[in-house]
Each structure stands twice: as structure tokens, then as C-alpha cells.
């Protein structure tokens, strides 16, 4: 067979989870900003990637994030009805209802992938969500077992 | 189905002679009885080599994509499932209805070559249907087996024994009605497993993948002008075959046909290494049915389920 | 006296092999028998016509990491990857044994030697397994191979009654026989007689299919209508080329992330539409006709001109797996049947 598998000996000592957050420019990114300016502390495990709309998030981004080392992925967008482009997040909702189930079906622990609606005024919610996910992913441990062998 | 061969020959000869069609796509005999293969007829003389039996599984309408550039009228033989596939291409505005001449073929089920070959590795002469049973008649004797167990999976839950539309129908319509209800039992069984077990299961499947793209090339829903797997930039998928690329391929393929898959199962049928692709497609179909109330039998829909939304869609992201 | 491995000692044979070598063997997985690295002798099967995937995967892997590179302070550091280890591939059928010799010529002969391939070849011991009952898709005899041909094996096993008659063919085979010495019994068996029995086995398809003169005939068939007739049904997938034990086309690609990367050599298939697509967009093989023609001309004509042999060993994988029956047998029959007189002479 063409694919060879490598061992996944992983030590968790001193490990901190890496969480990728895809945040929509208009709401969730502003929410993160508000959390910052309001000096609400939240775990620094999240790495934010700003996207124009949560509808921009291709399901492939999520799987790739896991494959390249993320322990958790968050997709955050405006609340339904609040989308800057009117309807973008409604499509997001349909798409990620499926993606979430498909990833789980493929055996990826469901708590590692989450979608949340966070508005520009919800700085506290942003901080809470990040804290919650970080805690959950920490409890799950590194996603190394989930990760697949890479060509690199 | 065999009994319709002479009518098919007459029909195709006529269509080619009076130039109703420029060429016709049907079946010819292959290496053995269980492997009929697609056949492209350009003159009426070719009809002598036409072939028809209960193993004619290929969906011939996918070949229409090869003739987009010209202006030929293409005749195509279509069973109910093939017609649904053609409807996919029409709905996606890939093929013009006016350039296809559909000869409909009522069908009560196609046999699964792999299953039959387990009983008859070689030398099968014909399959005779007798109610709930079939007789596999071969050079070394007859074997009587339950019909249901030897059909292609798609035929068990088939809602269209007669094609939905056609320009001409071969023979009479047959009684419709699926042999079994689609209960997604195989998907549900897998959902019951622990995540780690599921991970191992899919890892084993993806590890075997050759990335030959047969599943994509045979799929009527995979009809993009340029496939994202065939472009170097942006690099959605590397050329290398590591386990993560294989998974990315299968995940992407499944998502790209989500809500568009007609459920024909051709992908699984042609896979050389038995990857259960329909377990992915069906998982999505099941969830689309449950979440958005679009049952598999209604696909292709005018606007695909992931290309639209309802304000009242379920929301679990608060 | 001839060495015989009793059927009951096969698992021990594999176990002893694993003391010194890593093992690649036929394993049944989800209804298909694949060749794959395994550490479990119990999982190894011998009741297969042939494995779905061919042994070429282990000499010419689908993805070869040739070297890594990293940019550090304006310099580029290149680190070559070398394949190490001692491997045994167990249960290779005569057709696939023959295929190794055909690929050897490509990677060994001429000005350049393919070091990645040769390193694997040198460090792998191939254990052949003669075929007791050729199947409906087998046509090895068309290409002068028989169900008992050991050419290409280091050590050959001939199933015989309650065991396997062993023939040691090379030094590597001798080393493996020594490693498993305690399991091999000396018995009064006539090796030549056993071999003769396998060589004489009927291969229904192969016995009736001849390639005599096909290469020469194809010289004048580049523009023959047969290609336009055969190719429309092709799906353009890579099943035939990827399962074929003799196909050996590849492409090279860099996988770069940040300031580091790897150069990969990956299988490619002449049946893919982008196989010959140039950077500017031009494609010299724009349709299936050219691509199908290329595959069969390569096997039945171009390779013959270069190396004097046909690039096919009659393993039957394309017959078994091509979803549309565009197989070697079908093409050879078509070429045999086609008249060449009415065809214009090609330049």
C-alpha cells in the first residue's frame, strides 16, 4: 500500500492546546476585539484567522487545520439574522450542521470542532467560548491521535 | 431485460438511420456475461453488437459531458437510476435536454457482479429470474439464490423502476416500488461505534485508497468543468499520497456531492479497493433528510439543499 | 533432495522471517486481498488469485520522499532521504515476478540508475508463489510466463500436496532459506517434475491470445480508427495504471510549507487529463483517444522497441478492475483483428 503509518508517541507534559478560530470580520472578530479592549482575560490558546463572513469557511479549512496540528477548531459568525451580507451565516449553519456530523462520523472527537454565533457586542461571550473550548480540548488531550501522517 | 434486446436493436438502428441521433450510447458484451461494457454506436450496422442483460449497471449519461463542445444529438439508453443521474446533469445546466435523446429502459434490478462472482467466478451463462429467486445458470450447473441478496445495493431501495421521463420507452412500464425501505442501517451501525473505533475503521479504508479518481469520474454529481483536485493552484490537495491527503480527498468529495448525490452508488461499485464510499454519501443524505427535510428520493432538487436555507433551520450553535 | 515447507509451518516461516526482515504479505481486508506490511503472520493469506495491488508499490512507491530542504539564514540545507531496512515480500505471483524485471530495465538500464528504486530492490527478498489454478482473467502465457515461472523471485514456493516445494534462486533467497532453515524439510521430491506440472497448467485466456506481430503492426496504427472506437468509454480514471504491475510513470512535485519542504516523486497516470498539460495550458494529448492510445502504444510498441519485450505480464488486473472493460486483452484482440491495409501510412 502506498501509505505508511508512523508511530504517535506523544508526551503531554507542558502541553498547551492549539485552537484555530475562524472569526467573521463583522461580528465575531469585533467580539474578540471588544473582549480585548474591555480587558476580559481569555486563554491565549486561540489563533484567530479573520474571514469576511463565516460563510467563507470552507469545510476543507477545518479538516486541514486538524491535519496540520490544531487540537481544536472554532468557527464563529454573526447570529442568524445579523449577517453583514444578510444571509451568509444561514448557509454556514446548514453547511456546518453537516460538517460537524461528518467529522464526528469520521471519528474526530466532536468537542474539538465547534461553531458559535458571537456578535460584535459579545466580548464576554467570546472570552467565555474560548475558555470553554480550551478547557474541553485540554481535557481531551493533544489531537495527535487524530492526526494523520503527513508527507512532510 | 434480455428480451428487450431485439426491440433495442430495431429502435437504435432506426434512430441512427433517420438521423434522429448522431450516435447512440448503450451496452456491448464484455469479457464475460457479468461485465457488459458501454458501447458507442455510430452506424446502424453496429446494432448487431448491442448487448443487454441484468448486469448493465453503468450509468451512460455521464458520458454526455464528453460531448459538450459539439452539436451532436446523443442517444442514450437510461434506466431509472441513470435518468436520475441525467436529471442531475440537466439541473446543473451541464447538458442541454435538446441534445439528448433518451431511450428509457424499465428495470427491476441489476445484479452485483462481485456478489455473483463469489458464487460463479467464471462461466456464468445467464441469470433467470423467478419471482423472489434467481437461477444463476452456468457452465457447471445451476444455482438458485434469493434475488434480493444479489442485487446492487441501489436496486433494493430504488424508487424509479421506470425512468421519470424519456423520448421513447423500451417495452412496457413495470410495477414500481422499492424492495426495501432505506433505513440507513449501515450508517446508524457505524454511528454507534466509539469515535476511536470509527477513526480506525476510516483510516483503514483511506489507507487503501489509490487516488485513482474512478469514484469521481463515474459520479454524475461530480460534473464540475474543472475539478478542484485537478488544479495545482490553489493546492486543495497535494499530489503525494499520505493518509491526510487521502482523507482530505474523501472528505472533500463527500461534501461536494452532499445534497447532490443521486444515490446511484456507482462510486462504490467501481472502487478497485472496496472503499465503502456510500457510507459517506448516505451519512450526508441521512442528515440532510433529518435536518433539512429533503429526502434522498427528491434529489436532484431544483436548488440544492446546501445552496439554500430556511429561517427555521435547526440551530445548535448558540 | 528438495526442500519442502510443510503447510502447517507456514506461519512459523513468516515468523522466523520477521526476526530478520520486515514483512510485506497478502492480507484480506474488507473483501479485498492487498499486499501490505504486516507484523501478524496469522493475517497472511494464500488463497487468492492475485492481490489487488501489485508488488511494484514496494519498490516504486506511490509517493517517494526524495529529499527534504530547509532555508536557514539565506542558505538552503538539503537532506537526502535513503531507504533502509531488509524486507521480504511474500506470495508474489509469477506474472508480478515478471513485472519486476520489466520495471528493472526502465530504472536500471541506460545512462542513469534510479537509486531509490535500486536501494529497495537490493534490500528486498521476493518470495514467489506459483499458481495452482489460474483464473478467468489470467493471460500470463500470452507473454511467455507460466503459472510456475520463477523468474524474478529470490525464493519460489510451489504448492504441492500438504506443503510448498521450495526453490532457491538467488543469494538473497539462500539467505532467507538459511534464516528459516529449521522449518524446511528435505524430502524426496523431484523439483523439475513439480515445476513442470505448474508450467504445463492451462491458462484458458492466455493460451488463446497471441501477441505475435502486434508490436510491428502497431508501428503503422498510430492514426488507426481503432483508437477512436475504443476510447470513448474510458472513464479517464487511474485504475488500470495504478493497479498495473508494470506501469511506471511518475511526476515530481515540491510540497512547501514556510521555509521548508520536501520533494516528492509520485505516481502519475497517462489516463489523467492533466498528465501532459503544459504550464501554458497546451495539452498535446487533449482527448481520451490520445491518452488511451498512449497507454497501449507504450505497452505494446514503444517499450518493445526500447527493451525488446512487451510491457505486460498478463496479470489480469485491468480485466478484473477496469469498470468499462478497456483491457489489454480487448485491445490486443482489436489490433489482431484490425486490417491495416486501408490505413494510410503514417509518417
Amino acid at each position: 500500500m502506498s501509505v505508511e503509518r508512523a508511530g504517535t508517541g506523544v508526551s503531554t507534559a507542558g502541553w498547551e492546546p492549539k485552537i484555530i478560530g475562524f472569526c467573521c470580520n463583522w461580528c465575531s472578530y469585533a467580539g474578540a476585539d471588544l473582549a480585548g479592549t474591555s480587558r476580559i482575560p481569555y486563554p491565549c490558546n486561540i489563533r484567530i484567522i479573520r474571514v469576511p463572513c463565516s460563510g467563507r469557511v470552507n469545510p476543507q479549512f477545518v479538516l486541514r487545520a486538524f491535519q496540520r496540528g490544531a487540537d481544536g477548531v472554532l468557527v464563529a459568525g454573526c447570529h442568524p439574522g445579523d449577517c453583514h451580507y444578510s444571509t451568509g451565516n444561514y448557509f454556514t449553519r446548514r453547511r456546518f450542521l453537516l460538517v460537524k456530523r461528518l467529522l464526528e462520523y469520521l471519528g474526530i472527537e466532536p468537542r474539538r470542532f465547534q461553531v458559535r454565533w458571537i456578535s460584535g457586542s459579545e466580548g464576554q461571550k467570546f472570552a467565555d467560548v474560548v475558555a470553554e473550548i480550551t478547557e474541553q480540548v485540554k481535557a481531551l488531550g493533544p489531537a495527535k491521535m487524530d492526526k494523520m501522517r503527513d508527507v512532510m | 431485460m434480455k428480451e428487450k434486446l431485439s426491440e433495442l436493436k430495431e429502435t437504435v438502428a432506426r434512430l441512427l438511420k433517420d438521423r434522429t441521433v448522431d450516435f447512440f450510447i448503450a451496452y456491448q458484451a464484455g469479457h464475460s456475461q457479468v461485465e457488459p461494457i458501454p458501447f458507442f454506436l455510430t452506424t446502424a450496422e453496429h446494432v448487431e453488437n448491442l448487448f443487454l442483460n441484468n448486469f448493465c449497471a453503468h450509468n451512460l449519461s455521464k458520458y454526455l459531458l464528453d460531448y459538450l463542445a459539439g452539436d451532436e444529438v446523443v442517444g442514450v439508453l437510461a434506466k431509472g437510476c441513470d435518468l436520475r443521474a441525467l436529471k442531475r446533469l440537466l439541473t446543473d445546466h451541464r447538458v442541454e435536454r435538446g441534445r439528448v435523446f433518451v431511450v428509457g429502459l424499465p428495470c427491476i434490478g441489476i445484479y452485483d457482479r462481485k456478489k455473483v462472482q463469489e458464487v460463479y467466478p467464471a462461466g456464468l451463462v445467464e441469470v433467470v429470474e423467478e419471482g423472489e429467486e434467481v437461477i444463476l445458470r452456468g457452465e457447471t450447473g445451476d444455482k438458485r439464490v434469493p434475488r434480493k441478496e444479489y442485487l446492487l445495493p441501489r436496486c433494493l431501495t430504488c424508487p424509479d423502476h421506470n425512468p421519470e421521463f424519456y423520448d421513447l420507452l423500451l417495452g412496457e412500464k413495470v410495477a414500481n416500488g422499492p424492495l426495501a425501505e432505506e433505513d440507513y442501517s449501515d450508517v446508524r451501525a457505524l454511528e454507534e461505534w466509539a469515535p476511536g473505533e470509527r477513526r480506525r475503521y476510516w483510516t483503514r479504508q483511506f489507507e487503501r485508497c489509490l487516488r485513482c479518481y474512478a469514484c469521481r469520474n463515474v459520479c454524475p454529481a461530480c460534473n464540475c468543468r474543472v475539478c478542484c483536485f485537478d488544479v495545482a493552484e490553489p493546492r486543495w490537495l497535494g499530489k503525494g499520497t499520505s493518509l491526510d491527503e487521502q482523507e482530505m480527498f474523501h472528505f472533500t468529495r463527500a461534501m461536494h456531492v452532499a445534497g447532490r448525490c443521486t444515490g446511484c452508488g456507482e462510486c462504490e461499485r467501481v472502487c478497485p479497493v472496496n472503499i465503502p464510499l456510500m457510507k459517506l454519501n448516505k451519512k450526508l443524505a441521512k442528515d440532510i433528510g433529518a435536518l433539512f427535510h429533503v429526502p434522498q428520493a427528491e434529489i436532484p432538487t431544483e436548488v440544492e439543499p446546501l445552496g439554500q436555507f430556511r429561517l427555521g433551520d435547526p440551530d445548535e450553535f448558540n | 533432495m528438495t526442500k519442502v515447507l510443510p503447510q502447517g509451518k507456514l506461519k512459523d516461516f513468516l515468523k522466523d522471517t520477521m526476526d530478520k526482515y520486515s514483512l510485506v504479505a497478502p492480507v484480506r481486508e474488507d473483501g479485498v486481498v492487498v499486499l501490505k506490511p504486516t507484523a501478524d503472520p496469522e493475517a497472511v493469506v494464500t488463497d487468492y488469485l492475485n492481490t489487488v495491488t501489485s508488488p511494484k508499490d514496494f519498490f516504486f512507491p506511490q509517493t517517494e520522499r526524495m529529499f527534504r530542504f530547509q532555508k536557514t539564514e539565506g542558505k538552503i540545507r538539503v537532506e537526502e532521504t535513503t531507504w533502509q531496512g531488509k524486507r521480504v515480500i511474500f506470495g508474489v505471483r509469477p506474472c508480478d515476478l515478471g513485472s519486476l524485471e520489466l520495471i528493472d530495465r526502465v530504472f536500471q538500464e541506460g545512462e542513469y540508475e534510479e537509486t531509490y528504486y535500486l536501494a529497495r530492490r537490493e534490500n528486498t527478498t521476493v518470495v514467489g508463489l506459483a499458481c495452482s489454478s489460474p483464473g478467468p482473467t489470467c493471460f500470463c502465457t500470452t507473454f511467455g510466463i507460466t503459472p510456475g515461472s520463477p523468474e524474478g523471485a529470490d525464493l519460489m514456493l510451489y504448492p504441492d500436496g500438504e506443503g510448498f516445494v521450495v526453490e532457491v534462486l538467488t543469494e538473497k533467497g539462500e539467505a532467507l532459506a538459511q534464516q528459516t532453515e529449521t522449518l524446511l524439510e528435505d524430502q524426496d521430491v523431484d523439483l523439475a517434475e513439480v515445476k513442470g506440472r505448474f508450467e504445463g497448467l492451462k491458462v484458458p485466456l492466455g493460451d488463446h491470445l497471441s501477441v505475435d506481430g502486434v508490436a510491428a503492426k502497431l508501428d503503422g496504427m498510430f492514426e488507426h480508427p481503432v483508437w477512436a472506437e475504443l476510447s470513448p468509454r474510458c472513464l479517464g480514471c487511474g485504475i488500470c495504471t495504478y493497479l498495473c504491475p508494470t506501469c511506471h510513470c511518475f511526476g515530481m512535485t515540491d510540497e512547501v510549507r514556510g521555509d521548508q519542504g520536501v520533494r516528492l516523486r509520485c505516481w502519475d497516470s497517462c489516463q489523467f487529463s492533466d498528465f501532459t498539460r503544459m504550464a501554458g495550458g497546451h495539452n498535446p494529448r487533449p482527448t481520451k483517444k490520445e491518452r488511451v492510445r498512449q497507454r497501449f502504444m507504450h505497452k505494446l510498441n514503444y517499450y518493445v522497441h526500447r527493451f525488446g519485450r512487451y510491457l505486460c505480464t498478463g496479470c489480469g488486473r485491468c480485466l478484473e478492475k477496469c469498470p468499462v472493460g478497456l483491457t489489454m486483452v480487448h485491445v490486443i484482440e482489436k489490433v489482431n483483428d484490425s486490417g491495416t491495409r486501408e490505413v494510410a501510412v503514417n509518417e
Side-chain angles (χ1 to χ4, degrees):
Chain A
M1 212 65 289
S2 337
V3 174
E4 294 178 19
R5 231 185 307 186
T8 44
V10 183
S11 153
T12 55
W15 167 78
E16 281 290 331
K18 252 186 220 155
I19 294 162
I20 303 298
F22 293 99
C23 294
C24 105
N25 177 53
W26 306 99
C27 292
S28 310
Y29 194 81
D33 221 11
L34 183 63
T37 48
S38 315
R39 312 212 161 205
I40 305 169
Y42 62 85
C44 57
N45 301 70
I46 191 157
R47 272 76 162 166
I48 296 178
I49 296 174
R50 183 166 63 153
V51 287
C53 174
S54 56
R56 171 67 183 91
V57 184
N58 186 321
Q60 284 163 290
F61 296 174
V62 178
L63 185 62
R64 263 292 188 248
F66 281 119
Q67 290 181 340
R68 300 278 161 86
D71 300 297
V73 175
L74 168 71
V75 173
C78 311
H79 285 266
D82 284 358
C83 179
H84 182 79
Y85 309 101
S86 305
T87 57
N89 54 0
Y90 286 113
F91 293 98
T92 311
R93 185 165 69 182
R94 278 211 163 186
R95 190 185 313 150
F96 283 104
L97 280 167
L98 290 180
V99 170
K100 199 169 163 54
R101 285 163 175 74
L102 185 61
L103 285 174
E104 187 176 349
Y105 190 65
L106 292 173
I108 292 173
E109 173 54 59
R111 278 167 295 179
R112 292 192 189 277
F113 173 61
Q114 306 205 14
V115 185
R116 293 303 175 84
W117 309 133
I118 300 167
S119 79
S121 61
E122 292 176 325
Q124 186 62 51
K125 183 175 179 183
F126 180 84
D128 292 346
V129 164
V130 174
E132 184 193 325
I133 292 179
T134 306
E135 204 166 300
Q136 287 181 354
V137 173
K138 255 188 191 161
L140 289 168
K144 283 279 183 196
M145 290 302 290
D146 283 337
K147 255 180 262 163
M148 309 187 100
R149 192 189 143 121
D150 196 359
V151 282
M152 305 288 271
Chain B
M1 205 172 265
K2 233 171 71 180
E3 67 283 355
K4 295 196 183 112
L5 184 58
S6 57
E7 192 186 344
L8 177 67
K9 283 183 180 175
E10 279 167 35
T11 309
V12 176
R14 197 181 64 240
L15 294 172
L16 285 165
K17 265 191 208 138
D18 67 15
R19 308 299 293 164
T20 308
V21 300
D22 292 287
F23 62 94
F24 195 90
I25 315 177
Y27 302 97
Q28 62 186 320
H31 177 56
S32 75
Q33 283 291 314
V34 298
E35 303 159 85
I37 51 180
F39 184 26
F40 292 69
L41 301 94
T42 47
T43 74
E45 284 88 71
H46 288 155
V47 298
E48 282 319 307
N49 293 327
L50 275 170
F51 184 84
L52 205 57
N53 73 358
N54 317 63
F55 290 92
C56 292
H58 309 75
N59 159 31
L60 304 171
S61 52
K62 175 87 199 239
Y63 287 114
L64 294 169
L65 292 181
D66 293 338
Y67 302 94
L68 297 176
D71 52 8
E72 312 97 320
V73 174
V74 185
V76 66
L77 185 64
K79 308 181 289 292
C81 48
D82 306 337
L83 203 277
R84 191 178 282 272
L86 173 60
K87 214 174 145 191
R88 172 81 271 156
L89 299 175
L90 295 169
T91 310
D92 293 343
H93 304 289
R94 295 290 281 132
V95 170
E96 276 172 61
R97 180 66 183 93
R99 283 190 51 205
V100 195
F101 188 94
V102 181
V103 174
L105 181 63
C107 166
I108 56 164
I110 296 290
Y111 293 97
D112 190 332
R113 172 194 151 190
K114 285 179 201 162
K115 289 181 193 162
V116 170
Q117 278 181 327
E118 276 171 26
V119 183
Y120 251 110
L124 185 85
V125 177
E126 62 173 345
V127 173
V128 184
E129 278 154 342
E130 275 196 4
E132 295 294 294
E133 289 184 323
V134 281
I135 303 164
L136 306 176
R137 189 155 287 161
E139 285 161 8
T140 53
D142 292 0
K143 273 183 185 133
R144 190 179 277 270
V145 294
R147 200 171 101 81
K148 253 179 153 176
E149 287 172 26
Y150 287 82
L151 288 173
L152 282 174
R154 70 167 179 247
C155 300
L156 291 173
T157 53
C158 170
D160 352 74
H161 288 192
N162 302 298
E164 190 187 321
F165 57 84
Y166 42 79
D167 296 300
L168 219 159
L169 190 71
L170 272 194
E172 299 292 313
K173 282 193 177 183
V174 293
N176 212 348
L179 291 167
E181 221 31 65
E182 176 59 89
D183 57 2
Y184 297 107
S185 51
D186 45 351
V187 174
R188 280 178 216 281
L190 204 49
E191 284 172 345
E192 298 288 309
W193 295 12
E197 268 180 60
R198 272 203 301 273
R199 191 93 197 114
R200 276 189 291 281
Y201 174 80
W202 286 114
T203 299
R204 193 176 76 223
Q205 308 301 331
F206 298 152
E207 239 180 355
R208 270 208 313 280
C209 178
L210 295 164
R211 289 258 296 281
C212 67
Y213 298 129
C215 49
R216 173 195 69 179
N217 291 10
V218 82
C219 174
C222 277
N223 58 35
C224 291
R225 269 169 294 187
V226 179
C227 176
C228 67
F229 302 128
D230 284 344
V231 293
E233 278 296 325
R235 197 181 203 127
W236 292 107
L237 196 69
K239 265 272 183 199
T241 45
S242 63
L243 206 35
D244 64 0
E245 299 289 25
Q246 316 301 73
E247 177 170 56
M248 183 57 86
F249 169 70
H250 286 280
F251 175 81
T252 309
R253 193 205 57 80
M255 281 309 296
H256 283 191
V257 300
R260 308 179 56 253
C261 166
T262 61
C264 68
E266 285 285 275
C267 49
E268 196 170 279
R269 188 179 67 82
V270 301
C271 178
V273 291
N274 285 10
I275 297 173
L277 290 135
M278 281 309 282
K279 278 192 184 158
L280 292 172
N281 295 341
K282 277 189 179 182
K283 162 72 177 162
L284 288 158
K286 169 178 161 283
D287 289 345
I288 287 169
L291 294 164
F292 314 132
H293 313 294
V294 186
Q296 174 77 66
E298 279 175 25
I299 293 171
T301 46
E302 201 47 51
V303 180
E304 55 182 274
L306 285 183
Q308 55 171 308
F309 63 87
R310 295 260 160 80
L311 293 179
D313 280 340
D315 200 330
E316 42 192 60
F317 300 146
N318 262 309
Chain C
M1 294 303 253
T2 308
K3 284 190 168 54
V4 172
L5 174 68
Q7 178 76 46
K9 299 236 172 104
L10 179 64
K11 307 288 175 197
D12 292 322
F13 173 84
L14 296 171
K15 226 175 274 171
D16 280 11
T17 300
M18 274 185 268
D19 288 343
K20 215 173 155 189
Y21 304 86
S22 61
L23 180 69
V24 171
V27 172
R28 186 166 277 115
E29 196 178 273
D30 301 289
V32 285
V33 177
V34 288
L35 264 182
K36 110 181 240 192
T38 179
D40 177 17
E42 297 299 326
V44 177
V45 294
T46 52
D47 61 334
Y48 53 90
L49 181 60
N50 205 346
T51 50
V52 178
T53 47
S54 81
K56 82 170 173 190
D57 303 22
F58 298 94
F59 300 104
F60 168 56
Q62 187 162 9
T63 301
E64 177 93 72
R65 198 193 304 119
M66 304 172 82
F67 55 82
R68 298 167 186 282
F69 49 87
Q70 177 145 33
K71 208 164 88 181
T72 39
E73 291 160 16
K75 283 187 189 148
I76 292 177
R77 196 164 52 85
V78 176
E79 181 196 331
E80 197 179 346
T81 50
T82 48
W83 190 78
Q84 277 161 344
K86 288 268 175 212
R87 183 138 77 179
V88 163
I89 299 190
F90 175 83
V92 180
R93 294 298 191 187
C95 47
D96 291 347
L97 293 171
S99 74
L100 295 176
E101 290 202 324
L102 295 176
I103 304 189
D104 279 353
R105 294 174 193 216
V106 177
F107 289 141
Q108 208 165 7
E109 284 182 16
E111 202 175 336
Y112 299 102
E113 288 198 340
E114 216 290 313
T115 52
Y116 298 92
Y117 176 83
L118 292 176
R120 284 186 162 81
R121 210 58 181 97
E122 275 157 25
N123 290 302
T124 305
T125 306
V126 180
V127 178
L129 182 61
C131 301
S132 312
S133 50
T137 53
C138 296
F139 60 109
C140 54
T141 47
T142 299
F143 297 99
I145 295 167
T146 73
S149 300
E151 288 77 21
D154 296 302
L155 189 143
M156 189 73 181
L157 301 177
Y158 300 91
D160 185 43
E162 291 300 294
F164 302 92
V165 176
V166 179
E167 183 184 16
V168 175
L169 292 132
T170 65
E171 278 175 28
K172 282 189 281 181
E174 183 58 43
L176 179 61
Q178 295 210 337
Q179 169 75 11
T180 54
E181 174 174 50
T182 54
L183 303 167
L184 305 179
E185 296 172 359
D186 279 322
Q187 285 184 14
D188 187 16
V189 177
D190 181 0
L191 179 62
E193 187 271 325
V194 173
K195 287 180 68 166
R197 219 182 315 136
F198 280 94
E199 280 159 13
L201 277 177
K202 289 240 167 308
V203 181
L205 186 57
D207 295 346
H208 290 101
L209 182 73
S210 165
V211 273
D212 290 345
V214 164
K217 207 171 173 185
L218 280 171
D219 281 342
M221 288 180 70
F222 192 78
E223 300 287 357
H224 196 279
V226 72
W227 306 117
E229 192 190 318
L230 283 167
S231 59
R233 69 173 186 265
C234 179
L235 290 177
C237 75
I239 292 181
C240 52
T241 46
Y242 282 5
L243 294 183
C244 179
T246 64
C247 272
H248 52 261
C249 288
F250 58 83
M252 278 187 283
T253 175
D254 284 358
E255 195 75 37
V256 187
R257 271 173 232 161
D259 54 7
Q260 57 176 326
V262 287
R263 175 152 303 171
L264 305 175
R265 189 190 66 189
C266 307
W267 288 359
D268 207 341
S269 170
C270 55
Q271 302 307 293
F272 290 160
S273 58
D274 58 354
F275 183 69
T276 47
R277 193 173 61 214
M278 313 281 163
H282 175 65
N283 194 341
R285 291 186 206 138
T287 72
K288 291 195 243 183
K289 186 185 103 180
E290 293 84 8
R291 301 197 276 265
V292 167
R293 175 174 66 196
Q294 167 62 23
R295 171 165 158 80
F296 292 101
M297 286 297 272
H298 188 186
K299 294 196 171 295
L300 300 172
N301 183 279
Y302 308 152
Y303 188 92
V304 185
H305 284 309
R306 268 186 76 92
F307 298 106
R309 295 262 309 266
Y310 285 100
L311 188 62
C312 174
T313 60
C315 73
R317 284 185 179 86
C318 53
L319 268 83
E320 177 64 30
K321 292 295 183 181
C322 175
V324 295
L326 194 46
T327 67
M328 191 48 93
V329 170
H330 194 88
V331 172
I332 292 172
E333 281 170 351
K334 273 273 173 202
V335 173
N336 280 337
D337 292 349
S338 62
T340 43
R341 264 171 303 162
E342 66 266 41
V343 178
V345 178
N346 308 301
E347 295 308 310

